Amino acid sequence: MSRPHDLPHPFFHFGNPFRMISPKGSNLSKRLLLLLNNFEETLAGRLKKLNPKDKDGVLSLSWMKLAMVSLCETHNDIKTLITDLEHPVCDWDEKWIDAYLDISVNLLDICNAFSSEISRLKQGHLLLQCVLHNLDSSSSKQFIKARSSLDAWRQHISSKNPRVENCSTILNKLGESLDLPKVKNSAKGKVLMRAMYGVKVGTVFICSVFTSAFSGSARKLFDLNVDDKYMWAQAFTGLQTSINSEITNLYSSGRFTALKELEAVDTSVKKLYPMIQDGVDPIEVEAFQNSVSDLARRAEGLSQGLDLLTKEVDGFFHVVLSGRDALLCNLRESGTVSDPKLGCKVVEIVQS
């Protein structure tokens, strides 16, 4: 893993554990190769769809929504693959189980952090509603209240969310452990670990983009090096280069956020603030009214986009949670889990 402002270092500290199961020259059966190729082709297609055709699409809330939908679909594909492989959990190596449980619990923490930040941004919408309400009147007292609400919004938006800041620590841990356990004497296990590698790479990248967007820092981005033997490698590299480059450029230009809709609201706020600070000149009444209308329209666009993104983040949370729950249930049924606390983890996460 390398990051834009850090010294690069290789992911595979002990060599690539998947080199032995490349489709070329593989000893996998035709059926297993078909399952693997279908999975990787589907993943490649999803990554291509996420690559914006123009830079204006980078880090819009609609793109983030699509990215989260893509993650949900890909994680569901892993569940389907496990079923198609006819490889029950009781036959899994203990290291695979530990890896899956570790990844899933970290992803649940990340989902909770993202939900927390979206809720914080939506709270800012209430302040903007107060601004717009007070600007319905031409009273100087109402203008003072509007200025106060704008000041509060600026302060609220510029504050940092410690839960989002902690996502970088979690993602660093996941990134450094991309090299999943080696597989011996199990063709099905090799297919599963290779597929899980693809899911993990895509998940870490997309979550790093979200973390960068929510934290206002390009330093949160990851630059993942993927061997081009994977069918999805080219699509992933193209997506990563496109997204990371544009986000870095946005922050380099002085923008406090890479979120398109939030930046639009901030632009309207900056335009409107001096007007209500100095009082509206009769000559500027039309310009003032247009600025208020622009703020109302952009604030509503931000609010609606956040609502849609909330739904998809919640959906991803439940996809991960249901997969974790199913694994734990299977382990308990097979008698693999001897520690009863493992069976309580799902309940504890839901309640937190």
Side-chain angles (χ1 to χ4, degrees):
M1 172 186 66
S2 62
R3 291 167 57 191
H5 303 281
D6 295 334
L7 292 176
H9 56 278
F11 272 116
F12 299 114
H13 312 292
F14 308 105
N16 190 331
F18 303 102
R19 64 184 183 279
M20 66 185 72
I21 61 169
S22 172
K24 293 183 179 180
S26 172
N27 59 356
L28 297 178
S29 69
K30 290 184 179 180
R31 176 177 174 276
L32 292 182
L33 278 176
L34 180 61
L35 288 173
L36 177 60
N37 289 341
N38 285 343
F39 179 88
E40 293 201 350
E41 286 176 356
T42 300
L43 178 58
R46 290 204 180 101
L47 293 171
K48 288 178 181 178
K49 288 180 180 179
L50 286 179
N51 201 338
K53 294 181 179 180
D54 60 79
K55 64 180 182 180
D56 289 336
V58 175
L59 273 205
S60 63
L61 289 173
S62 60
W63 181 89
M64 295 176 75
K65 171 180 172 290
L66 289 176
M68 198 53 63
V69 168
S70 180
L71 279 186
C72 289
E73 293 173 343
T74 301
H75 279 255
N76 278 327
D77 282 351
I78 276 288
K79 298 178 186 179
T80 301
L81 179 64
I82 292 172
T83 300
D84 292 342
L85 285 172
E86 298 177 352
H87 194 45
V89 174
C90 59
D91 292 338
W92 286 23
D93 187 287
E94 186 176 339
K95 291 181 180 179
W96 310 350
I97 297 172
D98 290 342
Y100 187 94
L101 292 175
D102 182 62
I103 293 169
S104 62
V105 76
N106 280 298
L107 290 180
L108 292 174
D109 286 340
I110 289 174
C111 284
N112 283 331
F114 290 167
S115 294
S116 169
E117 178 61 13
I118 294 171
S119 294
R120 192 183 72 85
L121 292 174
K122 289 168 71 173
Q123 289 170 4
H125 182 69
L126 297 177
L127 293 170
L128 294 177
Q129 291 298 101
C130 290
V131 171
L132 295 170
H133 174 74
N134 288 318
L135 291 180
D136 277 343
S137 168
S138 59
S139 166
S140 59
K141 290 184 179 180
Q142 296 300 98
F143 273 34
I144 293 174
K145 290 181 180 180
R147 286 200 303 271
S148 177
S149 294
L150 282 181
D151 287 334
W153 182 83
R154 283 174 155 180
Q155 183 177 4
H156 179 76
I157 292 301
S158 62
S159 62
K160 299 295 183 181
N161 184 339
R163 299 184 71 174
V164 170
E165 296 299 311
N166 188 52
C167 284
S168 292
T169 302
I170 298 174
L171 289 171
N172 280 334
K173 177 183 175 183
L174 291 176
E176 290 169 358
S177 62
L178 277 182
D179 44 341
L180 292 166
K182 292 184 179 181
V183 180
K184 296 180 180 179
N185 304 320
S186 174
K188 292 179 179 180
K190 291 175 182 179
V191 171
L192 177 60
M193 287 298 102
R194 179 174 172 124
M196 285 183 64
Y197 170 72
V199 174
K200 194 174 181 184
V201 168
T203 302
V204 168
F205 169 68
I206 289 175
C207 287
S208 77
V209 171
F210 274 54
T211 302
S212 174
F214 289 144
S215 66
S217 172
R219 294 179 64 87
K220 310 298 184 182
L221 294 170
F222 279 67
D223 184 18
L224 309 179
N225 298 314
V226 176
D227 194 310
D228 60 9
K229 70 184 179 184
Y230 299 102
M231 299 177 70
W232 48 268
Q234 184 175 359
F236 173 77
T237 300
L239 172 64
Q240 179 176 246
T241 300
S242 175
I243 297 296
N244 283 2
S245 297
E246 183 58 26
I247 291 176
T248 301
N249 289 338
L250 289 174
Y251 285 131
S252 297
S253 68
R255 281 177 49 166
F256 87 98
T257 180
L259 284 175
K260 182 178 179 181
E261 290 83 355
L262 183 58
E263 174 67 19
V265 171
D266 185 59
T267 299
S268 291
V269 167
K270 288 178 179 177
K271 184 176 181 181
L272 184 62
Y273 193 87
M275 293 184 178
I276 62 176
Q277 186 175 28
D278 302 329
V280 180
D281 189 293
I283 301 177
E284 299 178 341
V285 169
E286 184 177 354
F288 171 73
Q289 291 175 342
N290 289 337
S291 294
V292 172
S293 296
D294 284 343
L295 176 59
R297 176 175 52 82
R298 291 174 174 179
E300 185 61 25
L302 174 62
S303 179
Q304 291 179 358
L306 290 173
D307 286 341
L308 293 174
L309 185 57
T310 297
K311 179 181 177 181
E312 299 307 332
V313 172
D314 288 346
F316 182 52
F317 178 93
H318 287 292
V319 166
V320 175
L321 184 61
S322 64
R324 180 182 175 83
D325 191 17
L327 176 63
L328 290 171
C329 287
N330 287 330
L331 290 175
R332 287 195 296 270
E333 289 174 2
S334 65
T336 306
V337 177
S338 58
D339 184 356
K341 291 183 179 179
L342 278 176
C344 298
K345 282 190 176 181
V346 173
V347 177
E348 292 169 357
I349 292 170
V350 173
Q351 292 176 342
S352 63

